[in-house]
Amino acid sequence: MSEMITADLVDLDLSADTKEAAARALAERMVAQGRVTDLEGFLADVAAREAQMPTGLDGGIGIPHCRSEYVTEPTLAFGRSVRGIDFGAADGPADLIFLIAAPAGADDAHLTILSSLARQLMNTEFTSALRAVKDAAAAAALVRGDEAPAAEASAAAEAPAAVEEPTTSADSSEAAGEEAAERPFRIVAVTSCPTGIAHTYMAAESLENAGREAGVELVVEPQGSAGFTRLDPAVIAAADAVIFAHDVPVREKDRFAGKPTVDVGVKAGINRPAELIAEVREKAARGEVTSGSAPTPVERSGDSTEGYGTKLRKWLMSGVSYMVPFVAAGGLLIALGFAIGGYKINKAPSVMDHFVWTQGDSWAALLFQIGAVSFGFLVPVLAGYIAYGMADRPGLVPGFVGGSIALTINAGFLGGLVAGLLAGGVVMAIQKIDIPQALRGIMPVVVIPLISSAIVGFLMFVVVGKPIATAQKGLTDWLNGLSGTNAILLGALLGVMMCFDLGGPVNKVAYTFATAGIAVSNPSDSAMKIMAAVMAAGMVPPLAMALATTVRGKLFTQTERENGKAAWVLGASFISEGAIPFAAADPLRVIPSSMVGGAITGALSMGFGASLRAPHGGIFVVPLIGNPFLYLVALVAGVCVSTALVVILKGMRKQSPEGSAKEAAGASVPARDSKQPVAA
């Protein structure tokens, strides 16, 4: 296998102005070396990873990275920026950019090499040497570890040899006594990030360095892509405190229960490890301990000091994110069943009793019934993973139980939300109870599931279930009664929500509202009209940006014009996130333009009476749409309006983005070093 980085994968004069352009420049080198098979597909994966969390680090470092099916072998490209590129770090732009490309099935050995690089980045001698190196081959050798950094080698040469002092038995006895009297404070830590390649190991290295400086014993368990080696149970038992620096759930978290804990995002572990150590020592001094698993939102992106509004949003998004794949799979299977067998296919007998291999109706019934089973999981999965987001794994059982009860009593989507929040709250309350050490081992697998399921079941069946079911029926009846102006206004509102944050929480609320309406065996006409309006509006932003880059390309950067080509496919497939690169670069022009177009499309779709039973698919499910011609008219109208608005607003700047960027760079940073921030 070839080396992970060579001189051909190094650019010491990277002239890119944006992180997208930097990723493209480095990725093109990977393509030229045969390391990446599809440039646009790979860059889309890089952008998706970047959207999860910025990859800029303090100290002038950017580490865009991803796993991708378009990568043939683990590869690393390095670029040194002339002016600095904003990767979202708090201290300003990055001048050292590492693009890490891992195949979808990278082997452990190469991931270990990548983790070693991540740790190297916390070494100031290493980064200083990269800033000073003059030759691409030498830079590649430094990154590979073939050559020691010059600063490090110099320090080693100048340092006097250590002289080992003889130790007498008296000295040994005295030292042993002192150690017994006051041993160092002991901390165990876990680090993890969504990709498990870079931030995971950088946070581990940063915490270990800070631990040495603080005089504490700190041992880290990095839970990376190549798996992880579990800390010795004896080490955990002897620890005085725990630090979790993670953006994905900590695996086997119950091992750390009963100790003072600081729970933060992975970037906090990189950027402020000393503060985390001081905070957890203060908690230990106050005697604060956790009697169970601390709350772990699946989509966490911040510290444990977040407000309740932020936490509630993350808990709900946790449930929705796990529910959406069931919606997509089940809805499309049901839609295909109707497309093949007609709208009476839901009356067909069970395929277990009657299935003829050569009959299309039998296959249609099979697709419909599989989809219906998938849809049956929607409410339990929503409730279960809301509870999981609140209370980690112990919340799953009562969450699924509560969600299933909500389904049984016809409490629907609202019942699932309430059941999930109840389950998570009950588990969190039980976890706060001081449990004897002897019982803690059976708490997460026996006691908590038993007690929490009984409490949630009682509340759902006897206390809150009937009022929620009544409210759900009232909402359904109201939707069924919508017509005329009310329906058009609802379509406009849903269109605005779909385009407001392009796949974010507001977008997901509108989408979940629509899919909940069709997640029944016989959805109403109003529910199917809402689904059609939501999908049409969600297609507007990427299609509008694609059209704008085509008709007025001079208003966009080269990177945006390239993104516009991909946006055609993303928009046609109902992937609103295809417009995120444009919104991130110019939110004040792109987002309002998209919202206006989305509102028009949503209103027209509802006004035309277009309907849709499939919850996804974009233009590929047009044959399954009621009034398809008018539906496409609504979509085209919204796209054209958004395109016109964004072109007009961008044209008011009177010059192209390239010219503006060059002028801003020349005017604001005539002589800056790599650590100065780039002018916005």
Side-chain angles (χ1 to χ4, degrees), residues 225-239:
S225 291
F228 66 101
T229 302
R230 293 163 182 78
L231 290 174
D232 188 328
V235 172
I236 298 175

Side-chain angles (χ1 to χ4, degrees), residues 33 94 201 257 260 344 353 395 469 495 505 548 583 593 608 617 638:
Q33 297 299 309
Y201 298 98
K344 292 184 179 181
D353 301 326
S593 301
F608 292 152

Side-chain angles (χ1 to χ4, degrees), residues 18-19 72 197 217 247 256 324 352 373 388 435 489 584 596:
T18 65
K19 60 184 179 182
T72 59
I197 294 175
E217 290 184 5
D247 286 324
F256 305 93
V324 166
M352 288 186 64
V373 171
Y388 176 65
I435 303 297
L489 290 176
V596 172

Side-chain angles (χ1 to χ4, degrees), residues 323-392:
M323 182 191 77
V324 166
F326 287 87
V327 173
L332 290 173
L333 285 168
I334 288 174
L336 287 172
F338 279 124
I340 297 172
Y343 278 91
K344 292 184 179 181
I345 199 64
N346 59 333
K347 306 296 184 182
S350 170
V351 292
M352 288 186 64
D353 301 326
H354 179 76
F355 183 82
V356 180
W357 288 79
T358 57
Q359 287 185 359
D361 284 351
S362 290
W363 287 101
L366 176 64
L367 293 173
F368 176 85
Q369 290 171 26
I370 295 173
V373 171
S374 177
F375 257 26
F377 285 99
L378 261 60
V379 174
V381 167
L382 174 69
Y385 281 96
I386 288 174
Y388 176 65
M390 296 174 68
D392 206 7

Side-chain angles (χ1 to χ4, degrees), residues 312-472:
L312 177 62
R313 176 182 65 82
K314 290 183 176 180
W315 296 338
L316 296 179
M317 287 298 293
S318 169
V320 170
S321 67
Y322 279 95
M323 182 191 77
V324 166
F326 287 87
V327 173
L332 290 173
L333 285 168
I334 288 174
L336 287 172
F338 279 124
I340 297 172
Y343 278 91
K344 292 184 179 181
I345 199 64
N346 59 333
K347 306 296 184 182
S350 170
V351 292
M352 288 186 64
D353 301 326
H354 179 76
F355 183 82
V356 180
W357 288 79
T358 57
Q359 287 185 359
D361 284 351
S362 290
W363 287 101
L366 176 64
L367 293 173
F368 176 85
Q369 290 171 26
I370 295 173
V373 171
S374 177
F375 257 26
F377 285 99
L378 261 60
V379 174
V381 167
L382 174 69
Y385 281 96
I386 288 174
Y388 176 65
M390 296 174 68
D392 206 7
R393 190 170 58 184
L396 282 174
V397 173
F400 273 91
V401 169
S404 297
I405 293 173
L407 197 63
T408 302
I409 64 177
N410 297 317
F413 177 65
L414 292 177
L417 289 176
V418 173
L421 294 172
L422 283 175
V426 168
V427 172
M428 291 170 69
I430 295 174
Q431 289 174 337
K432 292 181 179 179
I433 300 174
D434 189 15
I435 303 297
Q437 183 69 35
L439 297 178
R440 288 178 183 171
I442 64 171
M443 286 295 291
V445 294
V446 178
V447 178
I448 292 179
L450 172 65
I451 297 176
S452 60
S453 296
I455 294 174
V456 171
F458 168 76
L459 292 174
M460 290 299 296
F461 271 126
V462 180
V463 181
V464 301
K466 188 173 182 179
I468 296 172
T470 302
Q472 178 76 15

Side-chain angles (χ1 to χ4, degrees), residues 8-95:
D8 294 322
L9 295 169
V10 174
D11 186 349
L12 297 181
D13 295 299
L14 188 62
S15 59
D17 296 314
T18 65
K19 60 184 179 182
E20 293 83 8
R24 178 173 293 276
L26 295 176
E28 286 173 348
R29 290 176 174 263
M30 294 181 176
V31 172
Q33 297 299 309
R35 309 291 188 95
V36 170
T37 58
D38 184 329
L39 178 62
E40 298 303 330
F42 172 66
L43 289 175
D45 291 337
V46 173
R49 171 62 186 88
E50 193 76 23
Q52 294 178 7
M53 184 177 66
T55 54
L57 305 173
D58 289 350
I61 298 170
I63 51 166
H65 59 278
C66 74
R67 284 175 168 271
S68 175
E69 61 179 310
Y70 305 111
V71 179
T72 59
E73 58 182 294
T75 303
L76 178 65
F78 168 62
R80 193 169 63 195
S81 173
V82 178
R83 293 188 298 270
I85 301 170
D86 184 11
F87 275 87
D91 69 342
D95 62 321

Side-chain angles (χ1 to χ4, degrees), residues 200-560:
T200 298
Y201 298 98
M202 298 179 78
E205 183 73 10
S206 183
L207 285 168
E208 289 171 354
N209 291 340
R212 283 191 290 270
E213 293 176 3
V216 303
E217 290 184 5
L218 194 150
V219 184
V220 185
E221 178 181 284
Q223 297 186 351
S225 291
F228 66 101
T229 302
R230 293 163 182 78
L231 290 174
D232 188 328
V235 172
I236 298 175
D240 301 302
V242 180
I243 295 175
F244 293 133
H246 63 121
D247 286 324
V248 293
V250 174
R251 286 170 273 187
E252 302 177 16
K253 193 173 184 179
D254 294 324
R255 295 174 291 155
F256 305 93
K259 297 182 181 295
T261 302
V262 167
D263 194 335
V264 296
V266 68
K267 293 196 80 171
I270 297 172
N271 296 332
R272 50 187 190 88
E275 294 180 25
L276 303 184
I277 292 172
E279 182 181 347
V280 82
R281 295 189 74 168
E282 290 176 6
K283 285 192 173 185
R286 293 194 300 266
E288 295 184 18
V289 299
T290 58
S291 58
S293 299
T296 308
V298 172
E299 295 186 354
R300 65 176 301 117
S301 61
D303 296 349
S304 56
T305 55
E306 292 168 336
Y308 283 105
T310 302
K311 290 180 179 179
L312 177 62
R313 176 182 65 82
K314 290 183 176 180
W315 296 338
L316 296 179
M317 287 298 293
S318 169
V320 170
S321 67
Y322 279 95
M323 182 191 77
V324 166
F326 287 87
V327 173
L332 290 173
L333 285 168
I334 288 174
L336 287 172
F338 279 124
I340 297 172
Y343 278 91
K344 292 184 179 181
I345 199 64
N346 59 333
K347 306 296 184 182
S350 170
V351 292
M352 288 186 64
D353 301 326
H354 179 76
F355 183 82
V356 180
W357 288 79
T358 57
Q359 287 185 359
D361 284 351
S362 290
W363 287 101
L366 176 64
L367 293 173
F368 176 85
Q369 290 171 26
I370 295 173
V373 171
S374 177
F375 257 26
F377 285 99
L378 261 60
V379 174
V381 167
L382 174 69
Y385 281 96
I386 288 174
Y388 176 65
M390 296 174 68
D392 206 7
R393 190 170 58 184
L396 282 174
V397 173
F400 273 91
V401 169
S404 297
I405 293 173
L407 197 63
T408 302
I409 64 177
N410 297 317
F413 177 65
L414 292 177
L417 289 176
V418 173
L421 294 172
L422 283 175
V426 168
V427 172
M428 291 170 69
I430 295 174
Q431 289 174 337
K432 292 181 179 179
I433 300 174
D434 189 15
I435 303 297
Q437 183 69 35
L439 297 178
R440 288 178 183 171
I442 64 171
M443 286 295 291
V445 294
V446 178
V447 178
I448 292 179
L450 172 65
I451 297 176
S452 60
S453 296
I455 294 174
V456 171
F458 168 76
L459 292 174
M460 290 299 296
F461 271 126
V462 180
V463 181
V464 301
K466 188 173 182 179
I468 296 172
T470 302
Q472 178 76 15
K473 185 178 185 299
L475 176 62
T476 303
D477 292 342
W478 175 71
L479 291 174
N480 289 335
L482 283 177
S483 61
T485 303
N486 289 334
I488 292 173
L489 290 176
L490 178 61
L493 174 61
L494 292 172
V496 168
M497 294 174 68
M498 287 299 294
C499 301
F500 175 72
D501 54 359
L502 305 174
V506 177
N507 172 287
K508 287 294 189 291
V509 167
Y511 180 69
T512 304
F513 175 70
T515 55
I518 64 169
V520 294
S521 58
N522 292 293
S524 64
D525 288 341
S526 294
M528 289 192 288
K529 290 176 183 177
I530 290 171
M531 187 69 251
V534 162
M535 189 171 80
M539 295 164 66
V540 167
L543 289 176
M545 295 306 106
L547 181 59
T549 58
T550 301
V551 299
R552 289 298 301 276
K554 292 183 179 180
L555 295 175
F556 297 87
T557 65
Q558 178 60 36
T559 299
E560 288 174 327

